[in-house]
Amino acid sequence: MGRSVSPKRSVKPPRPSYILDEQIGFILRQVWQRHATIFAREIGINLTPTQWAALAKLTETGPCSQNLLGRLTAMDVATIKGVIDRLTARGLTETSPDPEDGRRLLVSLTRAGQQLAEKAAPNALAISRETLAPLDAKERETLIALLDKLR
């Protein structure tokens, strides 16, 4: 006599308490990756997002210390130093002693840096629009306000 084989039941495992696709960090990373792809494609010049941030902030503030620029662009000391070193090597920024504190260097845009920032600004605005394109105007406003609260 043959043995009867009972069909195996498909037992669904219990839902894990941590679902990666539902986590804010993972979602933000995916959104950042999408934005970085758009940025690289649309900026129109050879700049990284951190280099663009430094140029854009210097356009807003005028000359400032490297340390302050790092804080204003959310970059640590080593990162902002590398960014400014690369921008200076390209002739887009320059450093000079701070007249109020000779130990500190001021970073400023060169004429070429100003021109590049002006040229790139419309592309940067288009990048932001494309990143937010899946949202309607009210959703964009809400998203920016909510993300602002999380800073």
Side-chain angles (χ1 to χ4, degrees), residues 48 62 92 110 117 122:
T48 65
L92 301 174
T110 63

Side-chain angles (χ1 to χ4, degrees), residues 10-21:
S10 167
V11 178
K12 189 174 179 186
R15 177 179 161 86
S17 60
Y18 188 94
I19 306 294
L20 183 62
D21 288 346

